[in-house]
Amino acid sequence: MRVSLIRIFWIILVSILISFVYNHFNPNGLNLIREERVLIWEDSSALDNSEKDSLLIEKNFSSNTGELTHNEMNQSFDQPKAIKIDFAYKLFKQNVKFIDARSVEEFAEGHIKGAVSIPFYGSEEYQSVLNQISKDEYLVTYCDGDDCDLSILLGDELFQKGYKRVYVFYGGWQDWLKNNYPVEK
Amino acid sequence: MKLLSNKYLLFLIRIILGFIFIYAGAEKISNPESFALSISNYKLIPAAALNICAITLPWIELVAGLLLLLGILVKENSSIILFFLSLFTIAIIISLFRGLNIECGCFGKGNQIGLLKLGENSLMIIGSLLLVFFGSDFFKLTDKN
C-alpha cells in the first residue's frame, strides 16, 4: 500500500487542532505570536536631555577615574536598556566596553574604537571573550544601525547570561560614523 | 532485504520510535516556554513564528508516536516522523556548522547538539525509512491500513 498524503494531512491537521485547543486551556500556554521585544529606553537618552545625561553619568561613574562608584555597584537593570548616540558617546568616553554584534567581516571592515567582536550569529568561541568580562561591568551592544536587531538579541542573550548592566546602542555603527566618532579597523 | 522486512524487526522499530516520539512530544507539551526558547537558540525561525512551532510541533510528535505505537496508519505516521526527523537533523547540522553550542531541545534539558545527536537521529531516520517502505502490520489495533 502506498503512503496516503491525504491521511498524513489529516493526522497533522488534527494534531494542530488539538495543540491549539490544549494551548488555549493550558495555564502555561503561550501566546500564538511571540511578543516583539519592547525596548526600554534609558530615560535621559530618550528625552535627549543632555543635562540629565551628564547627571546620570556622574551618578553612575566617578567622573575622574571612569570607574563605578560604590553605590552603583549594587544597581542592575531589569532588562537591557536602549540608548541613543549621545548617551552612547558619553559611555564611550567613560571607557565602557562596546560589543559589536555584527558579523566578523563587518567588524573587520571597521568598528567603534576599542569594541569587542561578539557576532550574534557566530560561533560560541566568544565565550572565552565573555569570560574576561566581569558580570558587574557596563556593556554596550551595537550593530549596523536602527534597523538591525542583532544588538537587541545579543543584549538579551548577555542579560540572560548574567550581565545585568547591558545597554543596547540604537543607531549603532551608522550613527557612530555620521558623528565622526573614533573608529578603528 | 528479507531481514530488513522481518515483521518482528519492523514491529520493534515501530514500538521504539513510537515511545521515543510520545516521550519527546509529552515532555515539550509539559513545558512549552522552554521548548520555544530551545527553538529560538537555533536562530533559524523568526521570533514571531516561534510560539506557533512550540505549540504545534510537540502534538504532531505525540499523535504520530501514539498512532505508530498502536499500529494505526503506520506508513503515514512514519512518514511524518521521517519528515520531522530530517528537519531536526538539518537544523542540527546547520547549527554545528555555525559552531553553535546549544541545547538540542529534543528531549527536555541536558541534550547538547553534537555528533552523538546526529548519530541517534540517523538511526531513527533509517528506522522510520524502513517503516515507510515496509509498514508494520504485526500486532496492530486496526485491520485498516
Side-chain angles (χ1 to χ4, degrees):
Chain A
M1 202 206 81
R2 295 180 59 83
V3 177
S4 155
L5 285 179
I6 296 176
R7 283 174 172 172
I8 292 182
F9 171 78
W10 277 109
I11 296 169
I12 292 183
L13 188 71
V14 170
S15 310
I16 290 176
L17 284 179
I18 299 174
S19 71
F20 283 133
V21 173
Y22 175 82
N23 186 66
H24 181 73
F25 291 107
N26 181 7
N28 297 324
L30 304 173
N31 295 326
L32 290 191
I33 306 293
R34 204 167 184 83
E35 274 167 34
E36 287 264 336
R37 181 77 172 68
V38 182
L39 283 178
I40 303 295
W41 289 91
E42 173 64 69
D43 294 345
S44 50
S45 183
L47 293 172
D48 201 18
N49 180 339
S50 52
E51 238 176 81
K52 212 174 166 192
D53 260 6
S54 46
L55 273 178
L56 206 129
I57 291 284
E58 276 164 27
K59 200 179 84 189
N60 285 353
F61 303 96
S62 62
S63 48
N64 292 332
T65 59
E67 285 183 3
L68 300 170
T69 60
H70 184 69
N71 275 347
E72 186 54 26
M73 292 299 283
N74 296 322
Q75 190 198 324
S76 48
F77 306 157
D78 298 331
Q79 59 171 297
K81 283 185 185 170
I83 56 171
K84 283 184 179 160
I85 182 80
D86 299 343
F87 195 77
Y89 188 58
K90 289 201 164 78
L91 291 172
F92 176 79
K93 284 195 289 192
Q94 306 279 350
N95 289 325
V96 169
K97 191 162 260 143
F98 276 60
I99 296 179
D100 194 316
R102 300 172 303 159
S103 67
V104 181
E105 293 79 26
E106 284 172 297
F107 182 80
E109 279 170 26
H111 53 261
I112 293 176
K113 199 174 177 207
V116 188
S117 173
I118 301 185
F120 182 71
Y121 288 116
S123 68
E124 298 260 320
E125 284 164 23
Y126 68 71
Q127 195 63 44
S128 57
V129 181
L130 274 184
N131 288 341
Q132 293 160 14
I133 303 174
S134 149
K135 299 234 156 132
D136 295 326
E137 206 169 314
Y138 279 84
L139 301 172
V140 179
T141 63
Y142 73 93
C143 46
D144 192 54
D146 290 351
D147 298 333
C148 65
D149 58 357
L150 295 179
S151 53
I152 305 169
L153 295 169
L154 183 68
D156 282 345
E157 192 169 308
L158 291 174
F159 201 81
Q160 272 178 12
K161 284 186 195 283
Y163 296 87
K164 296 299 180 196
R165 289 160 185 167
V166 183
Y167 287 110
V168 175
F169 170 21
Y170 198 75
W173 177 239
Q174 296 303 335
D175 272 11
W176 197 262
L177 277 183
K178 257 184 242 159
N179 285 277
N180 284 324
Y181 288 149
V183 297
E184 65 181 8
K185 288 190 178 180
Chain B
M1 209 59 178
K2 212 172 177 186
L3 177 78
L4 288 180
S5 56
N6 178 302
K7 67 174 181 179
Y8 298 107
L9 176 74
L10 290 171
F11 176 66
L12 190 70
I13 295 174
R14 202 183 93 198
I15 300 299
I16 294 175
L17 273 183
F19 270 119
I20 290 177
F21 269 74
I22 291 172
Y23 174 75
E27 202 284 333
K28 289 166 200 162
I29 289 168
S30 72
N31 198 344
E33 178 59 27
S34 123
F35 181 50
L37 287 178
S38 296
I39 311 178
S40 81
N41 284 339
Y42 282 89
K43 296 170 185 172
L44 288 171
I45 293 179
L50 277 180
N51 281 10
I52 296 272
C53 293
I55 292 167
T56 54
L57 252 180
W59 277 97
I60 298 176
E61 286 186 327
L62 180 74
V63 170
L66 201 64
L67 294 178
L68 197 63
L69 187 68
L70 298 176
I72 302 169
L73 301 175
V74 170
K75 288 193 170 192
E76 283 76 6
N77 283 300
S78 19
S79 305
I80 295 173
I81 284 178
L82 176 65
F83 173 74
F84 283 107
L85 275 174
S86 315
L87 217 62
F88 300 153
T89 310
I90 292 170
I92 292 175
I93 292 174
I94 293 175
S95 306
L96 286 176
F97 267 109
R98 279 180 173 173
L100 296 177
N101 182 19
I102 54 177
E103 289 246 332
C104 166
C106 312
F107 309 103
K109 295 233 173 279
N111 276 275
Q112 292 294 115
I113 60 167
L115 291 178
L116 183 70
K117 206 82 234 171
L118 280 183
E120 281 174 23
N121 278 15
S122 312
L123 277 180
M124 289 195 280
I125 285 177
I126 294 171
S128 52
L129 265 176
L130 287 177
L131 285 179
V132 172
F133 275 111
F134 300 116
S136 166
D137 292 342
F138 185 68
F139 202 75
K140 62 176 187 178
L141 201 69
T142 61
D143 287 326
K144 270 196 300 178
N145 201 352

